[in-house]
Amino acid sequence: MQSIEDLEMHDVSTSSNTLLPFKVEDNLQFPTKAVNEISQPLSYIKKSLGVSRGDSREASVLAKEANHLSLGSPLESSSSSDNGPASEDQAHTEPLPYYTKKTGLCYDARMRFHTEVSPPKDRSDYHPEDPRRILHIYRELCEAGLVADNNMAIPPTTSNPLCRILARAAKKTEVCLVHDDAHFEFIKSTSSMSDEELGRREKTFDSIYFHQQTYSTALLSAGAAIETCLAVAKGEVKNAIAVIRPPGHHAECDTSRGFCHFDNVSIATQVVRKSYPEQYRKVLIVDWDVHHGNGIQQTFESDSNVLYISIHVHENGNFYPSGPYGDLYHCGIGAGIGKNINIPWPTKGMGDADYLFAFQHVIMPVAFDFNPDLVIIAAGFDAAVGDQLGGCFVTPACYGHMTHMLMSLADGKLVVCLEGGYNLRSISKSALAVTKTLMGEPPERIAETAATRIGVETVRKVVLQQSRYWRCLYPKGEIMMPGSERMHDVIRAYQSKVLHDNHKMINIWIFRERVSRSFEYQVLATKNYSTAVPLLVIFHDPPEVTGVPNAITNQLDLHNTWLADVSKSYIEWAVSHGFGVMDVNVPKFLTGISDEEGDPHDEALKITEAINELAIYLWDNYIECNESPKVFFLGIGNAFRAILHLLNTRNYEALDQIAGVIGFVADHPIRTVTETFITDFAKWYYKHSLLFVNHSHAVWEREKKPSKKFGALRRSPAEGLNGMLRAHKADVEDFLAKRAGVRVERGGGKGEGDGDGDTVMVVGT
């Protein structure tokens, strides 16, 4: 068993501040040495329990110099003057109440006894759920002068320090309000297991370790959450923070998961509701841990009186706890429909502005509409800056602002219960910011105020999904009505008609069952595409549609909606200069492949496979075998990936025909070519490519110059794909004309190329 010295045992339970008179149920079996070390503060606690306390509410008295001020209504003032001068007693109103309730703190050093049975010798390789997590938070609060602790060198710097709340062991009846009896008995049995047996058992669980003190500390953690919530519910403190471990929001009804054994927040919620069924009927739980709280969602997804909101990294189900359970489509079941809200970030790297955007547009409007009697934060700090497991960039100031917003609910009855967070410095600073906010200090300023595109898109999707359940969320309306068609199919049918009328372009049939339906009317070509003339093949994203949707119904008014299709100007130029043209439209969703309710990650993979297969099919069956001596590629947007896939797959046979590659990339990742078949392929690609990349793209933030595998990059000052296409049209024309050997007339001037009739393949991505 790990020694107490290894745990950096430091008794921090003593407080000169008033302790709340909670019943001590200290029947847990802890190591004798540990009990001796904390016996002094326990005796202090027991002595303090017999001390009667008077009313802690103080009153402020109006100054005598302010007698001329009246707090009554104008009617009352005039009535008094009519009856003669008021007496001195009448001149004074009732004294204004002065709010003196304190912020509570629950912390117990014994919760650090849950450790790995055989911790690694290298301290840098400790398990992320480290016993020092709560110690570092407590020390941070003490060093900030917020705690009156006789064992700490720094005295409190505030006249109203944190009020200590006594932790206790949760009862079996309390734990089993959430967990089944078999799970409780199993956790209890671990206290008598050998080290070897514990090691074998933990291998059968999902991200769990056991210790002989796991049962005791898990009960203490759940009990601390209960007592903290009861302290706020009884009005003993105005709000409180529980610095507890092990965490709980991954623990399910019948099993331990993700460092969690008992679901602390769910247990405390059920105890408060059972103890005060009339006063605390509705509870709001906000879970800002970077991982989805599957345990809390499981407990309350069918409960109409508990609103659970989780904001977490999801990565299309690939981030822990994995699977679709944390996606935005899980809105509750039965009576609890609409009372479960998931805000699933599709990637790591989310920051302050993203979290605040979610609070302002989803969490707070719904919370005010729900109007809870109590608010509990499942406060994991693993989305904080510096936490490598979470990979996000939430600052302590942002945690303060989120806390401040939630304090406006439920008459300020707010409880913060620690969940995850594995960078000791990050959790300490973040917990300090939250605690200061609870005590009444305004949160610090936020430097980052503009949410990312991914953040805005995610929140908008959540709003559309949840607007059917919440009257406060707009816009409303069905995303897809029965009998409706995707607009990209309608637009492509229009494009095919216009291109046929203007340039006699015809549909190219795709005789491959898996993609034929998806790309019907998506591949068009001029009649001379297979002859010995330059060929321009365009793979491009769908044209942009802009308009202002109705704020209530989310519908677009057609008279105020515009179609922006700049790629057609490239087709017109190519046709007028003797090129054959093949135009390939690559929609973001493919009819017959995309599924509205499917896993977005799986859907994206299917679309990518279909597009790559189409590019290979066109090369093998329509391009390589024609009479064009050279080929040029132009890629616009995300469809550019199809060109790179083709180049990486067919470079051993295509380089003699390909004379150049052109691309436009706004905000999508830039992929590289690979040298699987040809050693100097990267050099060839750099020499024969011209890629326009938006000026704000991440590739320009690299300290080193981008590799030649990215191609010949040019920084574009224009905004968006359409802006870039307009700004660099002349550059593309010159590139094509010079290598294809065609004459270009522009502004009265003439320029001759030096090519010999190259085929130009333009691929928009």
Side-chain angles (χ1 to χ4, degrees):
M1 183 183 299
Q2 191 178 10
S3 68
I4 303 303
E5 289 80 4
D6 291 339
L7 289 173
E8 302 178 36
M9 183 62 192
H10 171 67
D11 181 23
V12 288
S13 299
T14 305
S15 172
S16 60
N17 203 22
T18 303
L19 291 160
L20 297 179
F22 293 126
K23 181 180 179 181
V24 177
E25 295 185 18
D26 195 27
N27 57 351
L28 302 179
Q29 299 301 314
F30 289 101
T32 303
K33 183 175 181 180
V35 173
N36 292 337
E37 292 194 27
I38 62 175
S39 60
Q40 188 273 333
L42 287 178
S43 62
Y44 175 81
I45 293 171
K46 293 175 181 177
K47 290 180 181 178
S48 67
L49 295 179
V51 179
S52 62
R53 297 186 296 122
D55 186 7
S56 63
R57 186 180 296 276
E58 299 175 357
S60 63
V61 181
L62 297 177
K64 293 183 179 181
E65 291 78 7
N67 287 345
H68 64 284
L69 296 177
S70 173
L71 298 180
S73 66
L75 180 61
E76 294 171 337
S77 299
S78 61
S79 175
S80 299
S81 61
D82 291 342
N83 295 328
S87 64
E88 184 175 348
D89 292 339
Q90 291 175 328
H92 290 287
T93 62
E94 288 295 323
L96 295 176
Y98 178 65
Y99 198 78
T100 59
K101 288 183 181 178
K102 297 182 178 181
T103 294
L105 167 66
C106 188
Y107 168 80
D108 195 306
R110 294 173 294 175
M111 282 183 275
R112 304 202 326 261
F113 296 161
H114 166 64
T115 68
E116 296 176 271
V117 171
S118 301
K121 296 180 180 180
D122 184 0
R123 293 177 64 90
S124 64
D125 196 30
Y126 278 171
H127 192 279
E129 211 289 279
D130 191 322
R132 295 173 295 171
R133 294 170 59 240
I134 58 174
L135 174 62
H136 278 249
I137 292 176
Y138 183 79
R139 282 180 173 173
E140 188 73 26
L141 299 180
C142 292
E143 291 172 1
L146 306 183
V147 182
D149 189 324
N150 294 335
N151 290 328
M152 299 299 289
I154 302 177
T157 58
T158 174
S159 60
N160 210 18
L162 292 167
C163 186
R164 296 297 296 278
I165 300 173
L166 179 64
R168 65 166 174 84
K171 303 173 185 176
K172 179 179 179 179
T173 55
E174 294 171 331
V175 174
C176 288
L177 292 173
V178 173
H179 300 280
D180 61 26
D181 186 78
H183 176 60
F184 181 90
E185 292 300 326
F186 170 75
I187 299 300
K188 182 178 180 180
S189 69
T190 60
S191 59
S192 58
M193 292 182 183
S194 65
D195 290 356
E196 293 75 15
E197 177 66 14
L198 291 173
R200 287 194 297 269
R201 289 300 186 105
E202 67 185 29
K203 292 178 181 178
T204 65
F205 283 81
D206 178 9
S207 303
I208 284 295
Y209 67 79
F210 292 111
H211 187 275
Q212 286 83 0
Q213 299 304 321
T214 294
Y215 171 65
S216 298
T217 53
L219 285 182
L220 196 61
S221 182
I226 292 171
E227 288 301 327
T228 305
C229 289
L230 288 175
V232 174
K234 293 176 182 178
E236 298 287 351
V237 292
K238 62 180 180 181
N239 50 43
I241 181 171
V243 183
I244 57 177
R245 69 173 291 271
H249 73 151
H250 291 311
E252 297 183 351
C253 170
D254 57 354
T255 188
S256 300
R257 284 190 69 183
F259 313 161
C260 306
H261 298 286
F262 295 143
D263 188 350
N264 305 319
V265 168
S266 295
I267 293 170
T269 299
Q270 295 291 53
V271 170
V272 170
R273 295 172 69 203
K274 184 177 180 180
S275 303
Y276 302 96
E278 297 300 324
Q279 300 96 315
Y280 296 98
R281 185 172 61 90
K282 296 192 298 182
V283 178
L284 166 64
I285 301 174
V286 177
D287 188 343
W288 66 42
D289 191 289
V290 80
H291 303 94
H292 175 242
N294 54 289
I296 303 178
Q297 177 170 312
Q298 182 192 69
T299 302
F300 298 113
E301 62 184 347
S302 60
D303 194 322
S304 62
N305 289 319
V306 176
L307 171 59
Y308 175 63
I309 305 177
S310 177
I311 180 169
H312 54 270
V313 173
H314 189 241
E315 289 187 339
N316 296 320
N318 293 307
F319 195 73
Y320 193 88
S322 303
Y325 198 50
D327 66 24
L328 61 90
Y329 300 111
H330 281 77
C331 304
I333 57 177
I337 191 71
K339 299 304 190 299
N340 191 92
I341 301 177
N342 287 323
I343 304 174
W345 302 131
T347 181
K348 295 181 180 180
M350 311 308 286
D352 290 354
D354 299 306
Y355 276 75
L356 293 180
F357 188 83
F359 260 73
Q360 293 162 350
H361 291 268
V362 178
I363 297 176
M364 294 311 298
V366 169
F368 277 115
D369 201 355
F370 182 66
N371 194 21
D373 303 309
L374 176 68
V375 180
I376 303 176
I377 303 176
F381 294 113
D382 38 8
V385 174
D387 194 297
Q388 294 183 350
L389 282 183
C392 289
F393 302 101
V394 180
T395 65
C398 183
Y399 283 117
H401 278 275
M402 293 189 291
T403 303
H404 190 262
M405 284 187 272
L406 294 173
M407 287 172 64
S408 63
L409 303 165
D411 297 323
K413 295 182 177 65
L414 175 63
V415 178
V416 180
C417 292
L418 180 66
E419 290 288 350
Y422 309 104
N423 180 296
L424 299 180
R425 177 175 175 81
S426 297
I427 61 173
S428 301
K429 297 299 182 183
S430 299
L432 175 62
V434 168
T435 305
K436 285 183 175 181
T437 303
L438 291 174
M439 298 178 73
E441 183 173 318
E444 296 179 359
R445 291 184 176 183
I446 295 290
E448 178 188 352
T449 58
T452 63
R453 179 176 178 178
I454 293 176
V456 173
E457 289 178 349
T458 301
V459 171
R460 292 305 186 201
K461 291 178 182 177
V462 173
V463 169
L464 283 174
Q465 181 68 21
Q466 292 289 339
S467 63
R468 65 190 71 180
Y469 311 117
W470 295 95
R471 60 187 177 183
C472 59
L473 295 181
Y474 295 95
K476 299 183 183 294
E478 294 292 332
I479 298 176
M480 187 174 115
M481 300 180 181
S484 59
E485 298 183 28
R486 287 190 183 275
M487 198 62 190
H488 75 75
D489 291 331
V490 176
I491 291 176
R492 188 55 179 174
Y494 161 77
Q495 284 181 314
S496 64
K497 182 180 184 305
V498 172
L499 292 175
H500 178 269
D501 292 344
N502 294 341
H503 308 298
K504 306 304 178 184
M505 296 182 71
I506 58 176
N507 185 42
I508 296 294
W509 293 103
I510 310 298
F511 295 101
R512 183 136 333 159
E513 183 177 352
R514 194 169 76 90
V515 296
S516 60
R517 182 189 169 198
S518 300
F519 288 98
E520 185 177 0
Y521 299 114
Q522 306 296 344
V523 183
L524 305 174
T526 56
K527 293 181 179 180
N528 64 341
Y529 77 91
S530 62
T531 62
V533 296
L535 174 65
L536 176 60
V537 182
I538 307 177
F539 271 67
H540 58 85
D541 288 348
E544 295 180 1
V545 177
T546 59
V548 181
N550 186 288
I552 304 299
T553 66
N554 201 39
Q555 295 179 350
L556 284 169
D557 295 324
L558 294 183
H559 70 276
N560 199 30
T561 304
W562 305 90
L563 179 68
D565 185 11
V566 182
S567 64
K568 66 181 181 181
S569 64
Y570 285 75
I571 297 176
E572 294 171 356
W573 179 90
V575 171
S576 66
H577 287 78
F579 285 80
V581 177
M582 183 179 292
D583 179 78
V584 183
N585 180 67
V586 181
K588 294 181 179 179
F589 295 89
L590 300 181
T591 303
I593 291 182
S594 297
D595 183 0
E596 287 283 356
E597 302 296 332
D599 186 337
H601 181 68
D602 292 341
E603 180 181 317
L605 290 177
K606 291 178 182 178
I607 294 175
T608 299
E609 291 174 1
I611 296 171
N612 291 343
E613 184 175 354
L614 174 67
I616 297 297
Y617 180 86
L618 291 176
W619 174 264
D620 291 344
N621 295 278
Y622 289 100
I623 300 172
E624 183 190 22
C625 58
N626 68 20
E627 299 179 9
S628 301
K630 295 182 180 179
V631 175
F632 292 83
F633 293 85
L634 171 63
I636 306 172
N638 194 38
F640 188 52
R641 59 189 176 181
I643 299 176
L644 291 178
H645 176 76
L646 174 61
L647 291 175
N648 288 327
T649 306
R650 294 288 191 269
N651 56 32
Y652 60 90
E653 62 184 37
L655 297 192
D656 290 339
Q657 281 185 271
I658 299 173
V661 179
I662 307 169
F664 287 88
V665 180
D667 53 8
H668 294 95
I670 303 177
R671 294 171 172 82
T672 63
V673 295
T674 59
E675 298 183 335
T676 305
F677 304 108
I678 301 177
T679 305
D680 294 330
F681 183 46
K683 293 181 180 179
W684 177 94
Y685 180 57
Y686 181 81
K687 181 179 178 181
H688 292 79
S689 63
L690 178 62
L691 272 65
F692 299 97
V693 183
N694 184 265
H695 63 91
S696 61
H697 196 281
V699 72
W700 304 119
E701 299 177 4
R702 295 168 174 259
E703 294 183 2
K704 297 182 180 179
K705 184 178 179 180
S707 168
K708 291 184 178 181
K709 292 183 179 181
F710 286 102
L713 305 183
R714 288 181 58 177
R715 192 166 190 166
S716 173
E719 297 292 343
L721 283 176
N722 281 325
M724 294 168 63
L725 287 169
R726 293 189 186 95
H728 302 291
K729 185 170 181 289
D731 297 324
V732 173
E733 292 172 358
D734 290 341
F735 182 90
L736 296 175
K738 180 179 180 180
R739 293 170 179 259
V742 299
R743 185 185 300 273
V744 177
E745 297 183 7
R746 184 182 301 116
K750 296 182 180 181
E752 284 193 1
D754 54 3
D756 56 355
D758 296 357
T759 298
V760 182
M761 181 177 183
V762 181
V763 182
T765 62

